[in-house]
PDB file of all heavy atoms in Angstrom:
ATOM      1  N   TYR V   1       9.887  43.190   0.255  1.00  0.00           N
ATOM      2  CA  TYR V   1      11.141  43.284   0.979  1.00  0.00           C
ATOM      3  C   TYR V   1      11.160  44.484   1.991  1.00  0.00           C
ATOM      4  O   TYR V   1      12.196  44.634   2.659  1.00  0.00           O
ATOM      5  CB  TYR V   1      12.299  43.438   0.024  1.00  0.00           C
ATOM      6  CG  TYR V   1      12.260  42.490  -1.122  1.00  0.00           C
ATOM      7  CD1 TYR V   1      12.017  42.953  -2.408  1.00  0.00           C
ATOM      8  CD2 TYR V   1      12.422  41.106  -0.931  1.00  0.00           C
ATOM      9  CE1 TYR V   1      11.993  42.097  -3.514  1.00  0.00           C
ATOM     10  CE2 TYR V   1      12.382  40.250  -2.017  1.00  0.00           C
ATOM     11  CZ  TYR V   1      12.167  40.735  -3.300  1.00  0.00           C
ATOM     12  OH  TYR V   1      12.072  39.861  -4.358  1.00  0.00           O
ATOM     13  N   PHE V   2      10.107  45.243   2.041  1.00  0.00           N
ATOM     14  CA  PHE V   2      10.134  46.518   2.782  1.00  0.00           C
ATOM     15  C   PHE V   2       9.538  46.368   4.153  1.00  0.00           C
ATOM     16  O   PHE V   2       8.410  45.855   4.303  1.00  0.00           O
ATOM     17  CB  PHE V   2       9.326  47.523   1.948  1.00  0.00           C
ATOM     18  CG  PHE V   2       9.611  48.965   2.261  1.00  0.00           C
ATOM     19  CD1 PHE V   2      10.407  49.708   1.431  1.00  0.00           C
ATOM     20  CD2 PHE V   2       9.001  49.620   3.318  1.00  0.00           C
ATOM     21  CE1 PHE V   2      10.682  51.064   1.688  1.00  0.00           C
ATOM     22  CE2 PHE V   2       9.231  50.936   3.612  1.00  0.00           C
ATOM     23  CZ  PHE V   2      10.057  51.677   2.755  1.00  0.00           C
ATOM     24  N   TYR V   3      10.286  46.766   5.186  1.00  0.00           N
ATOM     25  CA  TYR V   3       9.700  46.801   6.519  1.00  0.00           C
ATOM     26  C   TYR V   3       8.775  47.978   6.598  1.00  0.00           C
ATOM     27  O   TYR V   3       9.218  49.141   6.573  1.00  0.00           O
ATOM     28  CB  TYR V   3      10.816  46.882   7.572  1.00  0.00           C
ATOM     29  CG  TYR V   3      10.255  46.978   8.996  1.00  0.00           C
ATOM     30  CD1 TYR V   3       9.654  45.923   9.595  1.00  0.00           C
ATOM     31  CD2 TYR V   3      10.363  48.182   9.715  1.00  0.00           C
ATOM     32  CE1 TYR V   3       9.088  46.011  10.879  1.00  0.00           C
ATOM     33  CE2 TYR V   3       9.876  48.276  10.996  1.00  0.00           C
ATOM     34  CZ  TYR V   3       9.221  47.176  11.573  1.00  0.00           C
ATOM     35  OH  TYR V   3       8.718  47.280  12.831  1.00  0.00           O
ATOM     36  N   GLN V   4       7.474  47.724   6.736  1.00  0.00           N
ATOM     37  CA  GLN V   4       6.457  48.715   6.673  1.00  0.00           C
ATOM     38  C   GLN V   4       6.035  49.216   8.024  1.00  0.00           C
ATOM     39  O   GLN V   4       6.392  48.673   9.074  1.00  0.00           O
ATOM     40  CB  GLN V   4       5.243  48.158   5.896  1.00  0.00           C
ATOM     41  CG  GLN V   4       5.627  47.683   4.487  1.00  0.00           C
ATOM     42  CD  GLN V   4       4.475  47.066   3.780  1.00  0.00           C
ATOM     43  OE1 GLN V   4       3.275  47.260   4.104  1.00  0.00           O
ATOM     44  NE2 GLN V   4       4.757  46.229   2.762  1.00  0.00           N
ATOM     45  N   GLN V   5       5.248  50.254   8.048  1.00  0.00           N
ATOM     46  CA  GLN V   5       4.802  50.899   9.243  1.00  0.00           C
ATOM     47  C   GLN V   5       3.987  49.913  10.134  1.00  0.00           C
ATOM     48  O   GLN V   5       2.985  49.433   9.694  1.00  0.00           O
ATOM     49  CB  GLN V   5       3.943  52.141   8.924  1.00  0.00           C
ATOM     50  CG  GLN V   5       3.504  52.928  10.149  1.00  0.00           C
ATOM     51  CD  GLN V   5       2.750  54.181   9.728  1.00  0.00           C
ATOM     52  OE1 GLN V   5       2.639  54.542   8.571  1.00  0.00           O
ATOM     53  NE2 GLN V   5       2.150  54.836  10.725  1.00  0.00           N
ATOM     54  N   PRO V   6       4.427  49.744  11.363  1.00  0.00           N
ATOM     55  CA  PRO V   6       3.633  48.915  12.301  1.00  0.00           C
ATOM     56  C   PRO V   6       2.276  49.552  12.612  1.00  0.00           C
ATOM     57  O   PRO V   6       2.119  50.768  12.434  1.00  0.00           O
ATOM     58  CB  PRO V   6       4.511  48.846  13.567  1.00  0.00           C
ATOM     59  CG  PRO V   6       5.878  49.252  13.117  1.00  0.00           C
ATOM     60  CD  PRO V   6       5.663  50.226  11.965  1.00  0.00           C
ATOM     61  N   ALA V   7       1.370  48.777  13.080  1.00  0.00           N
ATOM     62  CA  ALA V   7       0.028  49.268  13.391  1.00  0.00           C
ATOM     63  C   ALA V   7       0.089  50.413  14.414  1.00  0.00           C
ATOM     64  O   ALA V   7      -0.733  51.367  14.370  1.00  0.00           O
ATOM     65  CB  ALA V   7      -0.858  48.139  13.881  1.00  0.00           C
ATOM     66  N   ASP V   8       1.017  50.377  15.351  1.00  0.00           N
ATOM     67  CA  ASP V   8       1.117  51.382  16.345  1.00  0.00           C
ATOM     68  C   ASP V   8       2.294  52.352  16.092  1.00  0.00           C
ATOM     69  O   ASP V   8       2.676  53.125  16.963  1.00  0.00           O
ATOM     70  CB  ASP V   8       1.337  50.763  17.715  1.00  0.00           C
ATOM     71  CG  ASP V   8       2.572  49.883  17.796  1.00  0.00           C
ATOM     72  OD1 ASP V   8       3.188  49.617  16.742  1.00  0.00           O
ATOM     73  OD2 ASP V   8       2.952  49.498  18.932  1.00  0.00           O
ATOM     74  N   GLY V   9       2.819  52.349  14.870  1.00  0.00           N
ATOM     75  CA  GLY V   9       3.958  53.181  14.560  1.00  0.00           C
ATOM     76  C   GLY V   9       3.581  54.554  14.025  1.00  0.00           C
ATOM     77  O   GLY V   9       2.533  54.762  13.434  1.00  0.00           O
ATOM     78  N   ASN V  10       4.481  55.540  14.234  1.00  0.00           N
ATOM     79  CA  ASN V  10       4.301  56.870  13.632  1.00  0.00           C
ATOM     80  C   ASN V  10       4.660  56.858  12.173  1.00  0.00           C
ATOM     81  O   ASN V  10       5.267  55.885  11.675  1.00  0.00           O
ATOM     82  CB  ASN V  10       5.165  57.907  14.359  1.00  0.00           C
ATOM     83  CG  ASN V  10       4.803  58.082  15.811  1.00  0.00           C
ATOM     84  OD1 ASN V  10       3.616  58.054  16.153  1.00  0.00           O
ATOM     85  ND2 ASN V  10       5.776  58.275  16.661  1.00  0.00           N
ATOM     86  N   TRP V  11       4.309  57.899  11.456  1.00  0.00           N
ATOM     87  CA  TRP V  11       4.619  57.945  10.032  1.00  0.00           C
ATOM     88  C   TRP V  11       6.119  57.806   9.748  1.00  0.00           C
ATOM     89  O   TRP V  11       6.556  57.327   8.708  1.00  0.00           O
ATOM     90  CB  TRP V  11       4.063  59.218   9.372  1.00  0.00           C
ATOM     91  CG  TRP V  11       4.777  60.490   9.890  1.00  0.00           C
ATOM     92  CD1 TRP V  11       4.428  61.251  10.939  1.00  0.00           C
ATOM     93  CD2 TRP V  11       5.995  61.063   9.313  1.00  0.00           C
ATOM     94  NE1 TRP V  11       5.316  62.283  11.087  1.00  0.00           N
ATOM     95  CE2 TRP V  11       6.288  62.201  10.079  1.00  0.00           C
ATOM     96  CE3 TRP V  11       6.801  60.730   8.279  1.00  0.00           C
ATOM     97  CZ2 TRP V  11       7.366  63.026   9.863  1.00  0.00           C
ATOM     98  CZ3 TRP V  11       7.909  61.558   7.987  1.00  0.00           C
ATOM     99  CH2 TRP V  11       8.189  62.678   8.783  1.00  0.00           C
ATOM    100  N   ASP V  12       6.946  58.296  10.709  1.00  0.00           N
ATOM    101  CA  ASP V  12       8.412  58.259  10.458  1.00  0.00           C
ATOM    102  C   ASP V  12       9.045  57.106  11.261  1.00  0.00           C
ATOM    103  O   ASP V  12      10.198  57.195  11.731  1.00  0.00           O
ATOM    104  CB  ASP V  12       9.055  59.558  10.882  1.00  0.00           C
ATOM    105  CG  ASP V  12       8.830  59.961  12.307  1.00  0.00           C
ATOM    106  OD1 ASP V  12       7.994  59.315  13.017  1.00  0.00           O
ATOM    107  OD2 ASP V  12       9.429  60.940  12.774  1.00  0.00           O
ATOM    108  N   TYR V  13       8.293  55.996  11.451  1.00  0.00           N
ATOM    109  CA  TYR V  13       8.754  54.824  12.161  1.00  0.00           C
ATOM    110  C   TYR V  13      10.081  54.305  11.615  1.00  0.00           C
ATOM    111  O   TYR V  13      10.903  53.746  12.422  1.00  0.00           O
ATOM    112  CB  TYR V  13       7.714  53.699  11.961  1.00  0.00           C
ATOM    113  CG  TYR V  13       7.711  53.159  10.572  1.00  0.00           C
ATOM    114  CD1 TYR V  13       8.403  51.991  10.243  1.00  0.00           C
ATOM    115  CD2 TYR V  13       7.025  53.824   9.527  1.00  0.00           C
ATOM    116  CE1 TYR V  13       8.468  51.527   8.944  1.00  0.00           C
ATOM    117  CE2 TYR V  13       7.066  53.306   8.255  1.00  0.00           C
ATOM    118  CZ  TYR V  13       7.755  52.158   7.952  1.00  0.00           C
ATOM    119  OH  TYR V  13       7.816  51.721   6.706  1.00  0.00           O
ATOM    120  N   TYR V  14      10.374  54.496  10.362  1.00  0.00           N
ATOM    121  CA  TYR V  14      11.561  53.938   9.754  1.00  0.00           C
ATOM    122  C   TYR V  14      12.824  54.511  10.254  1.00  0.00           C
ATOM    123  O   TYR V  14      13.918  53.885  10.179  1.00  0.00           O
ATOM    124  CB  TYR V  14      11.494  54.104   8.215  1.00  0.00           C
ATOM    125  CG  TYR V  14      11.094  55.452   7.751  1.00  0.00           C
ATOM    126  CD1 TYR V  14      11.978  56.529   7.754  1.00  0.00           C
ATOM    127  CD2 TYR V  14       9.783  55.717   7.290  1.00  0.00           C
ATOM    128  CE1 TYR V  14      11.587  57.780   7.327  1.00  0.00           C
ATOM    129  CE2 TYR V  14       9.396  56.937   6.866  1.00  0.00           C
ATOM    130  CZ  TYR V  14      10.303  57.998   6.818  1.00  0.00           C
ATOM    131  OH  TYR V  14       9.942  59.259   6.405  1.00  0.00           O
ATOM    132  N   LYS V  15      12.814  55.732  10.825  1.00  0.00           N
ATOM    133  CA  LYS V  15      14.041  56.356  11.307  1.00  0.00           C
ATOM    134  C   LYS V  15      14.668  55.567  12.464  1.00  0.00           C
ATOM    135  O   LYS V  15      15.905  55.387  12.449  1.00  0.00           O
ATOM    136  CB  LYS V  15      13.748  57.764  11.774  1.00  0.00           C
ATOM    137  CG  LYS V  15      13.256  58.698  10.612  1.00  0.00           C
ATOM    138  CD  LYS V  15      12.978  60.096  11.116  1.00  0.00           C
ATOM    139  CE  LYS V  15      12.474  61.011   9.998  1.00  0.00           C
ATOM    140  NZ  LYS V  15      12.202  62.348  10.442  1.00  0.00           N
ATOM    141  N   GLU V  16      13.878  55.093  13.345  1.00  0.00           N
ATOM    142  CA  GLU V  16      14.382  54.249  14.446  1.00  0.00           C
ATOM    143  C   GLU V  16      14.524  52.794  14.019  1.00  0.00           C
ATOM    144  O   GLU V  16      15.408  52.116  14.528  1.00  0.00           O
ATOM    145  CB  GLU V  16      13.479  54.374  15.686  1.00  0.00           C
ATOM    146  CG  GLU V  16      13.499  55.757  16.308  1.00  0.00           C
ATOM    147  CD  GLU V  16      14.853  56.204  16.746  1.00  0.00           C
ATOM    148  OE1 GLU V  16      15.641  55.374  17.278  1.00  0.00           O
ATOM    149  OE2 GLU V  16      15.205  57.371  16.530  1.00  0.00           O
ATOM    150  N   ALA V  17      13.651  52.368  13.078  1.00  0.00           N
ATOM    151  CA  ALA V  17      13.692  51.007  12.685  1.00  0.00           C
ATOM    152  C   ALA V  17      15.035  50.619  12.014  1.00  0.00           C
ATOM    153  O   ALA V  17      15.611  49.579  12.268  1.00  0.00           O
ATOM    154  CB  ALA V  17      12.527  50.702  11.674  1.00  0.00           C
ATOM    155  N   PHE V  18      15.537  51.475  11.185  1.00  0.00           N
ATOM    156  CA  PHE V  18      16.808  51.156  10.521  1.00  0.00           C
ATOM    157  C   PHE V  18      17.940  51.159  11.539  1.00  0.00           C
ATOM    158  O   PHE V  18      18.845  50.261  11.473  1.00  0.00           O
ATOM    159  CB  PHE V  18      17.126  52.170   9.413  1.00  0.00           C
ATOM    160  CG  PHE V  18      18.444  51.951   8.740  1.00  0.00           C
ATOM    161  CD1 PHE V  18      18.633  50.812   7.986  1.00  0.00           C
ATOM    162  CD2 PHE V  18      19.445  52.870   8.850  1.00  0.00           C
ATOM    163  CE1 PHE V  18      19.854  50.591   7.338  1.00  0.00           C
ATOM    164  CE2 PHE V  18      20.681  52.611   8.186  1.00  0.00           C
ATOM    165  CZ  PHE V  18      20.832  51.522   7.476  1.00  0.00           C
ATOM    166  N   LYS V  19      17.928  52.055  12.467  1.00  0.00           N
ATOM    167  CA  LYS V  19      18.998  52.088  13.492  1.00  0.00           C
ATOM    168  C   LYS V  19      18.950  50.854  14.435  1.00  0.00           C
ATOM    169  O   LYS V  19      19.941  50.572  15.104  1.00  0.00           O
ATOM    170  CB  LYS V  19      18.908  53.390  14.298  1.00  0.00           C
ATOM    171  CG  LYS V  19      19.234  54.603  13.486  1.00  0.00           C
ATOM    172  CD  LYS V  19      19.398  55.848  14.374  1.00  0.00           C
ATOM    173  CE  LYS V  19      18.142  56.335  14.964  1.00  0.00           C
ATOM    174  NZ  LYS V  19      18.296  57.632  15.704  1.00  0.00           N
ATOM    175  N   ALA V  20      17.813  50.111  14.486  1.00  0.00           N
ATOM    176  CA  ALA V  20      17.705  48.976  15.352  1.00  0.00           C
ATOM    177  C   ALA V  20      18.607  47.837  14.919  1.00  0.00           C
ATOM    178  O   ALA V  20      18.936  46.945  15.761  1.00  0.00           O
ATOM    179  CB  ALA V  20      16.248  48.518  15.431  1.00  0.00           C
ATOM    180  N   GLY V  21      18.983  47.818  13.661  1.00  0.00           N
ATOM    181  CA  GLY V  21      20.006  46.849  13.242  1.00  0.00           C
ATOM    182  C   GLY V  21      19.538  45.509  12.613  1.00  0.00           C
ATOM    183  O   GLY V  21      20.282  44.553  12.658  1.00  0.00           O
ATOM    184  N   ASN V  22      18.332  45.491  12.092  1.00  0.00           N
ATOM    185  CA  ASN V  22      17.858  44.256  11.420  1.00  0.00           C
ATOM    186  C   ASN V  22      17.329  44.546  10.044  1.00  0.00           C
ATOM    187  O   ASN V  22      16.483  43.784   9.522  1.00  0.00           O
ATOM    188  CB  ASN V  22      16.786  43.588  12.283  1.00  0.00           C
ATOM    189  CG  ASN V  22      15.539  44.403  12.465  1.00  0.00           C
ATOM    190  OD1 ASN V  22      15.593  45.605  12.322  1.00  0.00           O
ATOM    191  ND2 ASN V  22      14.438  43.749  12.758  1.00  0.00           N
ATOM    192  N   ILE V  23      17.828  45.648   9.437  1.00  0.00           N
ATOM    193  CA  ILE V  23      17.395  46.015   8.072  1.00  0.00           C
ATOM    194  C   ILE V  23      18.645  46.342   7.257  1.00  0.00           C
ATOM    195  O   ILE V  23      19.539  47.022   7.717  1.00  0.00           O
ATOM    196  CB  ILE V  23      16.430  47.229   8.083  1.00  0.00           C
ATOM    197  CG1 ILE V  23      15.191  46.842   8.964  1.00  0.00           C
ATOM    198  CG2 ILE V  23      16.040  47.625   6.689  1.00  0.00           C
ATOM    199  CD1 ILE V  23      14.279  48.041   9.212  1.00  0.00           C
ATOM    200  N   GLY V  24      18.691  45.850   6.002  1.00  0.00           N
ATOM    201  CA  GLY V  24      19.904  46.058   5.219  1.00  0.00           C
ATOM    202  C   GLY V  24      20.041  47.394   4.619  1.00  0.00           C
ATOM    203  O   GLY V  24      21.068  48.040   4.709  1.00  0.00           O
ATOM    204  N   PHE V  25      18.947  47.929   3.955  1.00  0.00           N
ATOM    205  CA  PHE V  25      19.067  49.196   3.195  1.00  0.00           C
ATOM    206  C   PHE V  25      18.018  50.130   3.737  1.00  0.00           C
ATOM    207  O   PHE V  25      16.987  49.736   4.280  1.00  0.00           O
ATOM    208  CB  PHE V  25      18.810  48.957   1.699  1.00  0.00           C
ATOM    209  CG  PHE V  25      19.938  48.267   0.998  1.00  0.00           C
ATOM    210  CD1 PHE V  25      19.898  46.855   0.817  1.00  0.00           C
ATOM    211  CD2 PHE V  25      20.987  48.976   0.459  1.00  0.00           C
ATOM    212  CE1 PHE V  25      20.957  46.256   0.158  1.00  0.00           C
ATOM    213  CE2 PHE V  25      22.019  48.350  -0.215  1.00  0.00           C
ATOM    214  CZ  PHE V  25      22.028  46.967  -0.376  1.00  0.00           C
ATOM    215  N   TYR V  26      18.293  51.389   3.566  1.00  0.00           N
ATOM    216  CA  TYR V  26      17.452  52.485   4.074  1.00  0.00           C
ATOM    217  C   TYR V  26      17.331  53.549   3.035  1.00  0.00           C
ATOM    218  O   TYR V  26      18.306  54.244   2.665  1.00  0.00           O
ATOM    219  CB  TYR V  26      18.114  53.008   5.364  1.00  0.00           C
ATOM    220  CG  TYR V  26      17.395  54.149   6.070  1.00  0.00           C
ATOM    221  CD1 TYR V  26      16.043  54.169   6.284  1.00  0.00           C
ATOM    222  CD2 TYR V  26      18.131  55.252   6.536  1.00  0.00           C
ATOM    223  CE1 TYR V  26      15.369  55.189   6.979  1.00  0.00           C
ATOM    224  CE2 TYR V  26      17.506  56.274   7.220  1.00  0.00           C
ATOM    225  CZ  TYR V  26      16.121  56.262   7.432  1.00  0.00           C
ATOM    226  OH  TYR V  26      15.507  57.299   8.092  1.00  0.00           O
ATOM    227  N   MET V  27      16.139  53.810   2.512  1.00  0.00           N
ATOM    228  CA  MET V  27      15.862  54.822   1.511  1.00  0.00           C
ATOM    229  C   MET V  27      15.445  56.112   2.191  1.00  0.00           C
ATOM    230  O   MET V  27      14.420  56.200   2.915  1.00  0.00           O
ATOM    231  CB  MET V  27      14.697  54.363   0.584  1.00  0.00           C
ATOM    232  CG  MET V  27      14.391  55.310  -0.525  1.00  0.00           C
ATOM    233  SD  MET V  27      15.689  55.227  -1.786  1.00  0.00           S
ATOM    234  CE  MET V  27      15.525  56.780  -2.635  1.00  0.00           C
ATOM    235  N   TYR V  28      16.329  57.100   2.085  1.00  0.00           N
ATOM    236  CA  TYR V  28      16.044  58.376   2.748  1.00  0.00           C
ATOM    237  C   TYR V  28      16.802  59.477   2.033  1.00  0.00           C
ATOM    238  O   TYR V  28      17.286  59.259   0.904  1.00  0.00           O
ATOM    239  CB  TYR V  28      16.384  58.316   4.226  1.00  0.00           C
ATOM    240  CG  TYR V  28      15.722  59.340   5.075  1.00  0.00           C
ATOM    241  CD1 TYR V  28      14.396  59.608   4.987  1.00  0.00           C
ATOM    242  CD2 TYR V  28      16.473  60.113   5.966  1.00  0.00           C
ATOM    243  CE1 TYR V  28      13.805  60.622   5.762  1.00  0.00           C
ATOM    244  CE2 TYR V  28      15.874  61.136   6.761  1.00  0.00           C
ATOM    245  CZ  TYR V  28      14.525  61.356   6.609  1.00  0.00           C
ATOM    246  OH  TYR V  28      13.912  62.330   7.398  1.00  0.00           O
ATOM    247  N   GLN V  29      16.903  60.605   2.708  1.00  0.00           N
ATOM    248  CA  GLN V  29      17.617  61.787   2.117  1.00  0.00           C
ATOM    249  C   GLN V  29      18.919  62.008   2.782  1.00  0.00           C
ATOM    250  O   GLN V  29      19.174  61.561   3.901  1.00  0.00           O
ATOM    251  CB  GLN V  29      16.686  62.959   2.232  1.00  0.00           C
ATOM    252  CG  GLN V  29      15.336  62.775   1.579  1.00  0.00           C
ATOM    253  CD  GLN V  29      14.699  64.023   0.987  1.00  0.00           C
ATOM    254  OE1 GLN V  29      15.328  65.088   0.943  1.00  0.00           O
ATOM    255  NE2 GLN V  29      13.528  63.869   0.483  1.00  0.00           N
ATOM    256  N   CYS V  30      19.802  62.693   2.047  1.00  0.00           N
ATOM    257  CA  CYS V  30      21.179  62.823   2.488  1.00  0.00           C
ATOM    258  C   CYS V  30      21.309  63.534   3.813  1.00  0.00           C
ATOM    259  O   CYS V  30      22.246  63.216   4.593  1.00  0.00           O
ATOM    260  CB  CYS V  30      21.994  63.521   1.405  1.00  0.00           C
ATOM    261  SG  CYS V  30      22.428  62.542  -0.005  1.00  0.00           S
ATOM    262  N   TYR V  31      20.407  64.476   4.098  1.00  0.00           N
ATOM    263  CA  TYR V  31      20.546  65.186   5.371  1.00  0.00           C
ATOM    264  C   TYR V  31      20.396  64.268   6.585  1.00  0.00           C
ATOM    265  O   TYR V  31      20.844  64.572   7.680  1.00  0.00           O
ATOM    266  CB  TYR V  31      19.611  66.374   5.457  1.00  0.00           C
ATOM    267  CG  TYR V  31      18.130  66.061   5.321  1.00  0.00           C
ATOM    268  CD1 TYR V  31      17.455  65.453   6.345  1.00  0.00           C
ATOM    269  CD2 TYR V  31      17.443  66.444   4.160  1.00  0.00           C
ATOM    270  CE1 TYR V  31      16.076  65.158   6.218  1.00  0.00           C
ATOM    271  CE2 TYR V  31      16.096  66.180   4.046  1.00  0.00           C
ATOM    272  CZ  TYR V  31      15.406  65.537   5.037  1.00  0.00           C
ATOM    273  OH  TYR V  31      14.043  65.244   4.946  1.00  0.00           O
ATOM    274  N   GLY V  32      19.734  63.129   6.399  1.00  0.00           N
ATOM    275  CA  GLY V  32      19.509  62.229   7.518  1.00  0.00           C
ATOM    276  C   GLY V  32      20.775  61.507   7.980  1.00  0.00           C
ATOM    277  O   GLY V  32      20.732  60.967   9.107  1.00  0.00           O
ATOM    278  N   GLY V  33      21.814  61.525   7.206  1.00  0.00           N
ATOM    279  CA  GLY V  33      23.032  60.868   7.609  1.00  0.00           C
ATOM    280  C   GLY V  33      24.239  61.756   7.591  1.00  0.00           C
ATOM    281  O   GLY V  33      25.169  61.629   8.415  1.00  0.00           O
ATOM    282  N   PHE V  34      24.274  62.717   6.636  1.00  0.00           N
ATOM    283  CA  PHE V  34      25.521  63.501   6.432  1.00  0.00           C
ATOM    284  C   PHE V  34      25.583  64.840   7.163  1.00  0.00           C
ATOM    285  O   PHE V  34      26.620  65.458   7.226  1.00  0.00           O
ATOM    286  CB  PHE V  34      25.709  63.739   4.949  1.00  0.00           C
ATOM    287  CG  PHE V  34      26.063  62.525   4.155  1.00  0.00           C
ATOM    288  CD1 PHE V  34      25.089  61.782   3.519  1.00  0.00           C
ATOM    289  CD2 PHE V  34      27.369  62.082   4.062  1.00  0.00           C
ATOM    290  CE1 PHE V  34      25.383  60.629   2.765  1.00  0.00           C
ATOM    291  CE2 PHE V  34      27.705  60.964   3.303  1.00  0.00           C
ATOM    292  CZ  PHE V  34      26.701  60.229   2.678  1.00  0.00           C
ATOM    293  N   ASN V  35      24.464  65.315   7.694  1.00  0.00           N
ATOM    294  CA  ASN V  35      24.442  66.619   8.363  1.00  0.00           C
ATOM    295  C   ASN V  35      24.747  66.511   9.862  1.00  0.00           C
ATOM    296  O   ASN V  35      24.601  65.449  10.473  1.00  0.00           O
ATOM    297  CB  ASN V  35      23.079  67.292   8.185  1.00  0.00           C
ATOM    298  CG  ASN V  35      22.833  67.738   6.742  1.00  0.00           C
ATOM    299  OD1 ASN V  35      23.557  67.386   5.824  1.00  0.00           O
ATOM    300  ND2 ASN V  35      21.809  68.511   6.557  1.00  0.00           N
ATOM    301  N   ASP V  36      25.194  67.641  10.405  1.00  0.00           N
ATOM    302  CA  ASP V  36      25.437  67.684  11.871  1.00  0.00           C
ATOM    303  C   ASP V  36      24.089  67.352  12.574  1.00  0.00           C
ATOM    304  O   ASP V  36      23.024  67.751  12.160  1.00  0.00           O
ATOM    305  CB  ASP V  36      25.867  69.107  12.271  1.00  0.00           C
ATOM    306  CG  ASP V  36      27.264  69.435  11.802  1.00  0.00           C
ATOM    307  OD1 ASP V  36      28.068  68.465  11.613  1.00  0.00           O
ATOM    308  OD2 ASP V  36      27.593  70.607  11.649  1.00  0.00           O
ATOM    309  N   ASN V  37      24.235  66.596  13.648  1.00  0.00           N
ATOM    310  CA  ASN V  37      23.089  66.158  14.431  1.00  0.00           C
ATOM    311  C   ASN V  37      22.059  65.376  13.629  1.00  0.00           C
ATOM    312  O   ASN V  37      20.831  65.410  13.869  1.00  0.00           O
ATOM    313  CB  ASN V  37      22.385  67.363  15.085  1.00  0.00           C
ATOM    314  CG  ASN V  37      23.309  68.171  15.970  1.00  0.00           C
ATOM    315  OD1 ASN V  37      24.048  67.565  16.770  1.00  0.00           O
ATOM    316  ND2 ASN V  37      23.298  69.490  15.812  1.00  0.00           N
ATOM    317  N   ALA V  38      22.564  64.697  12.579  1.00  0.00           N
ATOM    318  CA  ALA V  38      21.637  63.898  11.729  1.00  0.00           C
ATOM    319  C   ALA V  38      21.096  62.720  12.497  1.00  0.00           C
ATOM    320  O   ALA V  38      21.649  62.281  13.537  1.00  0.00           O
ATOM    321  CB  ALA V  38      22.426  63.432  10.495  1.00  0.00           C
ATOM    322  N   GLU V  39      20.024  62.116  11.924  1.00  0.00           N
ATOM    323  CA  GLU V  39      19.349  61.047  12.591  1.00  0.00           C
ATOM    324  C   GLU V  39      20.170  59.800  12.775  1.00  0.00           C
ATOM    325  O   GLU V  39      19.953  59.031  13.684  1.00  0.00           O
ATOM    326  CB  GLU V  39      18.066  60.727  11.832  1.00  0.00           C
ATOM    327  CG  GLU V  39      17.026  61.862  11.914  1.00  0.00           C
ATOM    328  CD  GLU V  39      16.229  62.026  10.625  1.00  0.00           C
ATOM    329  OE1 GLU V  39      16.328  61.183   9.749  1.00  0.00           O
ATOM    330  OE2 GLU V  39      15.511  63.013  10.546  1.00  0.00           O
TER     331      GLU V  39
END
């Protein structure tokens, strides 16, 4: 069920992938959403 790193993707590909709007859940850390200037 996991959208994995594309062949040409960086190690942190998932940061932009979730924001693209075709993935339901996102496993990450709280600072990525709750902090000022968060991703």
Side-chain angles (χ1 to χ4, degrees):
Y1 316 111
F2 200 100
Y3 178 69
Q4 302 175 21
Q5 182 177 353
D8 59 349
N10 295 324
W11 67 269
D12 59 351
Y13 71 97
Y14 46 78
K15 296 179 181 180
E16 294 302 318
F18 180 64
K19 292 191 290 185
N22 63 337
I23 301 171
F25 289 93
Y26 179 47
M27 185 73 201
Y28 198 50
Q29 304 212 4
C30 284
Y31 59 71
F34 290 94
N35 289 13
D36 289 335
N37 302 313
E39 293 145 8

